[in-house]
Short mmCIF file of all heavy atoms in Angstrom, two decimals:
data_model
loop_
_atom_site.label_atom_id
_atom_site.label_comp_id
_atom_site.label_asym_id
_atom_site.label_seq_id
_atom_site.Cartn_x
_atom_site.Cartn_y
_atom_site.Cartn_z
N ARG A 212 5.06 9.04 -22.07
CA ARG A 212 4.59 7.69 -21.75
C ARG A 212 3.17 7.48 -22.24
O ARG A 212 2.82 6.40 -22.73
CB ARG A 212 4.66 7.45 -20.24
CG ARG A 212 4.41 5.99 -19.85
CD ARG A 212 4.60 5.77 -18.34
NE ARG A 212 4.61 4.36 -18.01
CZ ARG A 212 3.52 3.63 -17.79
NH1 ARG A 212 2.31 4.19 -17.86
NH2 ARG A 212 3.63 2.34 -17.49
N ASP A 213 2.32 8.49 -22.13
CA ASP A 213 0.94 8.35 -22.62
C ASP A 213 0.91 8.09 -24.12
O ASP A 213 0.09 7.31 -24.62
CB ASP A 213 0.13 9.61 -22.29
CG ASP A 213 -0.24 9.71 -20.82
OD1 ASP A 213 -0.13 8.68 -20.10
OD2 ASP A 213 -0.63 10.81 -20.38
N GLN A 214 1.80 8.75 -24.84
CA GLN A 214 1.87 8.53 -26.29
C GLN A 214 2.35 7.12 -26.62
O GLN A 214 1.86 6.49 -27.57
CB GLN A 214 2.79 9.57 -26.94
CG GLN A 214 2.23 10.99 -26.94
CD GLN A 214 3.24 12.00 -27.40
OE1 GLN A 214 4.43 11.94 -27.04
NE2 GLN A 214 2.78 12.98 -28.19
N VAL A 215 3.30 6.64 -25.83
CA VAL A 215 3.78 5.26 -26.03
C VAL A 215 2.64 4.27 -25.79
O VAL A 215 2.38 3.37 -26.60
CB VAL A 215 4.96 4.96 -25.10
CG1 VAL A 215 5.32 3.47 -25.13
CG2 VAL A 215 6.17 5.80 -25.48
N LEU A 216 1.94 4.44 -24.66
CA LEU A 216 0.82 3.55 -24.35
C LEU A 216 -0.24 3.56 -25.44
O LEU A 216 -0.78 2.51 -25.83
CB LEU A 216 0.19 3.96 -23.02
CG LEU A 216 0.79 3.33 -21.75
CD1 LEU A 216 0.27 4.04 -20.52
CD2 LEU A 216 0.44 1.85 -21.69
N LEU A 217 -0.52 4.75 -25.97
CA LEU A 217 -1.52 4.86 -27.03
C LEU A 217 -1.11 4.07 -28.26
O LEU A 217 -1.93 3.39 -28.88
CB LEU A 217 -1.73 6.33 -27.39
CG LEU A 217 -2.75 6.61 -28.51
CD1 LEU A 217 -4.13 6.10 -28.12
CD2 LEU A 217 -2.79 8.11 -28.82
N ARG A 218 0.17 4.13 -28.59
CA ARG A 218 0.65 3.38 -29.76
C ARG A 218 0.49 1.87 -29.57
O ARG A 218 0.04 1.16 -30.48
CB ARG A 218 2.12 3.72 -30.04
CG ARG A 218 2.31 5.00 -30.84
CD ARG A 218 3.77 5.26 -31.09
NE ARG A 218 3.93 6.35 -32.07
CZ ARG A 218 4.33 6.19 -33.32
NH1 ARG A 218 4.62 4.98 -33.77
NH2 ARG A 218 4.46 7.22 -34.13
N TYR A 219 0.85 1.37 -28.40
CA TYR A 219 0.76 -0.05 -28.16
C TYR A 219 -0.69 -0.52 -28.06
O TYR A 219 -1.04 -1.59 -28.58
CB TYR A 219 1.56 -0.44 -26.91
CG TYR A 219 3.04 -0.53 -27.20
CD1 TYR A 219 3.84 0.62 -27.25
CD2 TYR A 219 3.65 -1.75 -27.46
CE1 TYR A 219 5.19 0.56 -27.55
CE2 TYR A 219 5.01 -1.83 -27.76
CZ TYR A 219 5.77 -0.67 -27.81
OH TYR A 219 7.13 -0.74 -28.12
N ARG A 220 -1.51 0.27 -27.41
CA ARG A 220 -2.92 -0.12 -27.31
C ARG A 220 -3.61 -0.06 -28.66
O ARG A 220 -4.44 -0.92 -29.00
CB ARG A 220 -3.62 0.75 -26.27
CG ARG A 220 -3.19 0.36 -24.85
CD ARG A 220 -3.79 1.24 -23.78
NE ARG A 220 -3.44 0.72 -22.45
CZ ARG A 220 -3.38 1.44 -21.36
NH1 ARG A 220 -3.63 2.74 -21.39
NH2 ARG A 220 -3.07 0.88 -20.21
N SER A 221 -3.28 0.93 -29.46
CA SER A 221 -3.86 1.01 -30.80
C SER A 221 -3.42 -0.17 -31.66
O SER A 221 -4.20 -0.70 -32.47
CB SER A 221 -3.44 2.32 -31.48
OG SER A 221 -3.94 3.44 -30.79
N ALA A 222 -2.18 -0.60 -31.47
CA ALA A 222 -1.66 -1.72 -32.26
C ALA A 222 -2.29 -3.05 -31.86
O ALA A 222 -2.52 -3.91 -32.73
CB ALA A 222 -0.14 -1.79 -32.13
N TYR A 223 -2.58 -3.23 -30.56
CA TYR A 223 -2.89 -4.57 -30.08
C TYR A 223 -4.24 -4.72 -29.39
O TYR A 223 -4.60 -5.85 -29.01
CB TYR A 223 -1.79 -5.03 -29.12
CG TYR A 223 -0.43 -5.13 -29.77
CD1 TYR A 223 0.69 -4.53 -29.17
CD2 TYR A 223 -0.25 -5.78 -30.99
CE1 TYR A 223 1.95 -4.62 -29.76
CE2 TYR A 223 1.00 -5.86 -31.58
CZ TYR A 223 2.10 -5.27 -30.97
OH TYR A 223 3.33 -5.36 -31.56
N ASP A 224 -5.03 -3.67 -29.24
CA ASP A 224 -6.30 -3.81 -28.55
C ASP A 224 -7.23 -4.82 -29.21
O ASP A 224 -8.04 -5.46 -28.54
CB ASP A 224 -7.01 -2.45 -28.43
CG ASP A 224 -6.60 -1.68 -27.18
OD1 ASP A 224 -5.79 -2.23 -26.40
OD2 ASP A 224 -7.05 -0.54 -26.99
N ALA A 225 -7.12 -4.99 -30.51
CA ALA A 225 -7.98 -5.93 -31.22
C ALA A 225 -7.39 -7.34 -31.28
O ALA A 225 -8.01 -8.24 -31.86
CB ALA A 225 -8.25 -5.43 -32.63
N GLU A 226 -6.23 -7.53 -30.69
CA GLU A 226 -5.55 -8.83 -30.75
C GLU A 226 -5.78 -9.61 -29.46
O GLU A 226 -5.32 -9.23 -28.39
CB GLU A 226 -4.04 -8.63 -30.98
CG GLU A 226 -3.69 -7.91 -32.26
CD GLU A 226 -4.08 -8.69 -33.50
OE1 GLU A 226 -4.34 -9.93 -33.38
OE2 GLU A 226 -4.13 -8.10 -34.59
N SER A 227 -6.48 -10.72 -29.57
CA SER A 227 -6.85 -11.50 -28.38
C SER A 227 -5.66 -12.12 -27.66
O SER A 227 -5.73 -12.41 -26.47
CB SER A 227 -7.84 -12.60 -28.77
OG SER A 227 -9.04 -12.05 -29.24
N LEU A 228 -4.56 -12.35 -28.38
CA LEU A 228 -3.41 -13.00 -27.77
C LEU A 228 -2.29 -12.03 -27.42
O LEU A 228 -1.17 -12.46 -27.12
CB LEU A 228 -2.88 -14.12 -28.67
CG LEU A 228 -3.83 -15.30 -28.88
CD1 LEU A 228 -3.16 -16.37 -29.73
CD2 LEU A 228 -4.28 -15.89 -27.55
N VAL A 229 -2.58 -10.74 -27.44
CA VAL A 229 -1.61 -9.74 -26.96
C VAL A 229 -2.31 -8.85 -25.95
O VAL A 229 -3.34 -8.24 -26.26
CB VAL A 229 -1.05 -8.87 -28.11
CG1 VAL A 229 -0.03 -7.87 -27.56
CG2 VAL A 229 -0.40 -9.74 -29.18
N GLN A 230 -1.78 -8.78 -24.75
CA GLN A 230 -2.36 -7.95 -23.70
C GLN A 230 -1.37 -6.85 -23.33
O GLN A 230 -0.23 -7.15 -22.94
CB GLN A 230 -2.71 -8.80 -22.48
CG GLN A 230 -3.78 -9.85 -22.75
CD GLN A 230 -4.17 -10.64 -21.52
OE1 GLN A 230 -3.50 -10.58 -20.48
NE2 GLN A 230 -5.23 -11.40 -21.62
N VAL A 231 -1.79 -5.63 -23.48
CA VAL A 231 -0.98 -4.48 -23.09
C VAL A 231 -1.33 -4.13 -21.65
O VAL A 231 -2.50 -3.88 -21.32
CB VAL A 231 -1.23 -3.28 -24.02
CG1 VAL A 231 -0.44 -2.05 -23.55
CG2 VAL A 231 -0.83 -3.64 -25.46
N VAL A 232 -0.33 -4.16 -20.77
CA VAL A 232 -0.55 -3.92 -19.35
C VAL A 232 0.29 -2.72 -18.93
O VAL A 232 1.28 -2.37 -19.58
CB VAL A 232 -0.19 -5.16 -18.51
CG1 VAL A 232 -1.10 -6.33 -18.87
CG2 VAL A 232 1.27 -5.57 -18.70
N ASP A 233 -0.08 -2.08 -17.85
CA ASP A 233 0.60 -0.87 -17.43
C ASP A 233 1.96 -1.17 -16.81
O ASP A 233 2.98 -0.61 -17.18
CB ASP A 233 -0.27 -0.09 -16.45
CG ASP A 233 0.29 1.29 -16.16
OD1 ASP A 233 0.35 2.11 -17.10
OD2 ASP A 233 0.69 1.54 -15.01
N GLU A 234 1.98 -2.07 -15.84
CA GLU A 234 3.22 -2.41 -15.15
C GLU A 234 4.04 -3.40 -15.98
O GLU A 234 3.52 -4.08 -16.86
CB GLU A 234 2.92 -3.01 -13.78
CG GLU A 234 2.19 -2.05 -12.84
CD GLU A 234 3.02 -0.84 -12.49
OE1 GLU A 234 4.26 -0.99 -12.32
OE2 GLU A 234 2.45 0.26 -12.38
N ALA A 235 5.31 -3.52 -15.68
CA ALA A 235 6.15 -4.51 -16.35
C ALA A 235 5.65 -5.90 -16.00
O ALA A 235 5.50 -6.23 -14.81
CB ALA A 235 7.60 -4.34 -15.94
N PRO A 236 5.36 -6.75 -16.98
CA PRO A 236 4.83 -8.08 -16.69
C PRO A 236 5.88 -9.01 -16.10
O PRO A 236 7.08 -8.83 -16.33
CB PRO A 236 4.37 -8.57 -18.07
CG PRO A 236 5.23 -7.83 -19.04
CD PRO A 236 5.48 -6.49 -18.43
N TRP A 237 5.41 -10.00 -15.35
CA TRP A 237 6.28 -10.99 -14.72
C TRP A 237 6.19 -12.30 -15.49
O TRP A 237 5.10 -12.75 -15.85
CB TRP A 237 5.85 -11.26 -13.28
CG TRP A 237 6.04 -10.13 -12.34
CD1 TRP A 237 6.44 -8.85 -12.63
CD2 TRP A 237 5.79 -10.16 -10.93
NE1 TRP A 237 6.49 -8.09 -11.50
CE2 TRP A 237 6.09 -8.87 -10.44
CE3 TRP A 237 5.37 -11.14 -10.05
CZ2 TRP A 237 5.97 -8.55 -9.08
CZ3 TRP A 237 5.24 -10.83 -8.71
CH2 TRP A 237 5.54 -9.55 -8.23
N VAL A 238 7.32 -12.94 -15.66
CA VAL A 238 7.33 -14.20 -16.40
C VAL A 238 6.53 -15.29 -15.67
O VAL A 238 5.90 -16.14 -16.30
CB VAL A 238 8.77 -14.65 -16.70
CG1 VAL A 238 9.48 -15.11 -15.44
CG2 VAL A 238 8.81 -15.74 -17.77
N SER A 239 6.51 -15.27 -14.35
CA SER A 239 5.78 -16.29 -13.59
C SER A 239 4.28 -16.22 -13.83
O SER A 239 3.57 -17.22 -13.64
CB SER A 239 6.08 -16.16 -12.09
OG SER A 239 5.64 -14.91 -11.60
N ARG A 240 3.79 -15.06 -14.25
CA ARG A 240 2.36 -14.91 -14.46
C ARG A 240 1.92 -15.29 -15.88
O ARG A 240 0.72 -15.38 -16.15
CB ARG A 240 1.95 -13.45 -14.18
CG ARG A 240 2.12 -13.07 -12.72
CD ARG A 240 1.83 -11.59 -12.50
NE ARG A 240 2.05 -11.21 -11.10
CZ ARG A 240 2.09 -9.95 -10.66
NH1 ARG A 240 1.95 -8.96 -11.51
NH2 ARG A 240 2.29 -9.71 -9.39
N ILE A 241 2.88 -15.54 -16.76
CA ILE A 241 2.53 -15.89 -18.13
C ILE A 241 2.65 -17.39 -18.37
O ILE A 241 2.13 -17.90 -19.37
CB ILE A 241 3.42 -15.10 -19.14
CG1 ILE A 241 2.71 -14.94 -20.49
CG2 ILE A 241 4.77 -15.78 -19.32
CD1 ILE A 241 1.50 -14.04 -20.46
N ALA A 242 3.28 -18.11 -17.47
CA ALA A 242 3.43 -19.56 -17.64
C ALA A 242 2.07 -20.23 -17.76
O ALA A 242 1.14 -19.90 -17.01
CB ALA A 242 4.21 -20.16 -16.47
N HIS A 243 1.93 -21.14 -18.73
CA HIS A 243 0.71 -21.89 -19.02
C HIS A 243 -0.38 -21.03 -19.65
O HIS A 243 -1.52 -21.49 -19.78
CB HIS A 243 0.16 -22.58 -17.77
CG HIS A 243 1.12 -23.55 -17.15
ND1 HIS A 243 1.40 -24.78 -17.70
CD2 HIS A 243 1.89 -23.44 -16.05
CE1 HIS A 243 2.29 -25.40 -16.95
NE2 HIS A 243 2.61 -24.62 -15.94
N ARG A 244 -0.06 -19.83 -20.05
CA ARG A 244 -1.05 -18.97 -20.72
C ARG A 244 -0.66 -18.78 -22.18
O ARG A 244 0.50 -18.88 -22.57
CB ARG A 244 -1.15 -17.62 -20.02
CG ARG A 244 -1.88 -17.70 -18.68
CD ARG A 244 -1.89 -16.35 -17.99
NE ARG A 244 -2.32 -15.28 -18.88
CZ ARG A 244 -2.13 -13.98 -18.61
NH1 ARG A 244 -1.49 -13.62 -17.52
NH2 ARG A 244 -2.55 -13.07 -19.46
N HIS A 245 -1.66 -18.49 -22.99
CA HIS A 245 -1.47 -18.41 -24.44
C HIS A 245 -1.22 -16.99 -24.94
O HIS A 245 -0.92 -16.80 -26.11
CB HIS A 245 -2.71 -18.98 -25.15
CG HIS A 245 -3.00 -20.39 -24.77
ND1 HIS A 245 -2.45 -21.47 -25.41
CD2 HIS A 245 -3.77 -20.92 -23.77
CE1 HIS A 245 -2.88 -22.59 -24.85
NE2 HIS A 245 -3.68 -22.28 -23.85
N GLU A 246 -1.32 -16.01 -24.06
CA GLU A 246 -1.15 -14.63 -24.48
C GLU A 246 0.28 -14.14 -24.31
O GLU A 246 1.06 -14.71 -23.54
CB GLU A 246 -2.07 -13.70 -23.66
CG GLU A 246 -3.55 -14.00 -23.78
CD GLU A 246 -4.02 -15.04 -22.76
OE1 GLU A 246 -3.21 -15.47 -21.91
OE2 GLU A 246 -5.19 -15.43 -22.83
N VAL A 247 0.59 -13.07 -25.01
CA VAL A 247 1.78 -12.26 -24.75
C VAL A 247 1.35 -11.10 -23.86
O VAL A 247 0.28 -10.51 -24.10
CB VAL A 247 2.37 -11.68 -26.05
CG1 VAL A 247 3.63 -10.87 -25.77
CG2 VAL A 247 2.66 -12.78 -27.05
N GLU A 248 2.13 -10.75 -22.87
CA GLU A 248 1.90 -9.52 -22.12
C GLU A 248 3.03 -8.53 -22.42
O GLU A 248 4.20 -8.90 -22.41
CB GLU A 248 1.84 -9.78 -20.60
CG GLU A 248 0.54 -10.40 -20.16
CD GLU A 248 0.35 -10.35 -18.65
OE1 GLU A 248 1.35 -10.09 -17.92
OE2 GLU A 248 -0.78 -10.56 -18.20
N ILE A 249 2.65 -7.29 -22.71
CA ILE A 249 3.62 -6.24 -23.00
C ILE A 249 3.32 -5.07 -22.08
O ILE A 249 2.18 -4.61 -22.00
CB ILE A 249 3.55 -5.78 -24.47
CG1 ILE A 249 3.76 -6.96 -25.41
CG2 ILE A 249 4.59 -4.69 -24.74
CD1 ILE A 249 3.63 -6.62 -26.88
N GLY A 250 4.33 -4.58 -21.37
CA GLY A 250 4.09 -3.48 -20.44
C GLY A 250 5.37 -2.84 -19.97
O GLY A 250 6.42 -2.96 -20.59
N GLY A 251 5.26 -2.17 -18.83
CA GLY A 251 6.40 -1.43 -18.29
C GLY A 251 6.41 0.00 -18.80
O GLY A 251 6.09 0.94 -18.08
N PHE A 252 6.80 0.18 -20.05
CA PHE A 252 6.77 1.47 -20.75
C PHE A 252 7.42 2.59 -19.93
O PHE A 252 6.82 3.62 -19.63
CB PHE A 252 5.32 1.86 -21.11
CG PHE A 252 4.60 0.80 -21.89
CD1 PHE A 252 3.49 0.16 -21.37
CD2 PHE A 252 5.03 0.43 -23.15
CE1 PHE A 252 2.83 -0.82 -22.07
CE2 PHE A 252 4.39 -0.56 -23.87
CZ PHE A 252 3.27 -1.19 -23.33
N ALA A 253 8.67 2.37 -19.57
CA ALA A 253 9.44 3.41 -18.89
C ALA A 253 10.02 4.36 -19.94
O ALA A 253 10.54 3.93 -20.97
CB ALA A 253 10.57 2.78 -18.08
#
């Protein structure tokens, strides 16, 4: 899982409209926002 997280953070840390989060994101929290949230990583 740490290797997976590293890959996603390396890919998107410089991208203002992509947020890598630890837990699986909820659709209700992204409504009216301009970013993508990517997480979970099971």
Side-chain angles (χ1 to χ4, degrees):
R212 189 175 191 275
D213 286 345
Q214 290 172 319
V215 171
L216 271 168
L217 179 61
R218 277 181 170 252
Y219 281 81
R220 287 177 174 155
S221 297
Y223 298 131
D224 272 358
E226 299 295 344
S227 296
L228 294 183
V229 181
Q230 296 183 348
V231 176
V232 297
D233 190 64
E234 297 297 322
W237 293 5
V238 71
S239 62
R240 294 175 182 168
I241 206 68
H243 301 286
R244 286 177 49 195
H245 302 272
E246 300 88 4
V247 181
E248 284 194 345
I249 303 177
F252 306 116

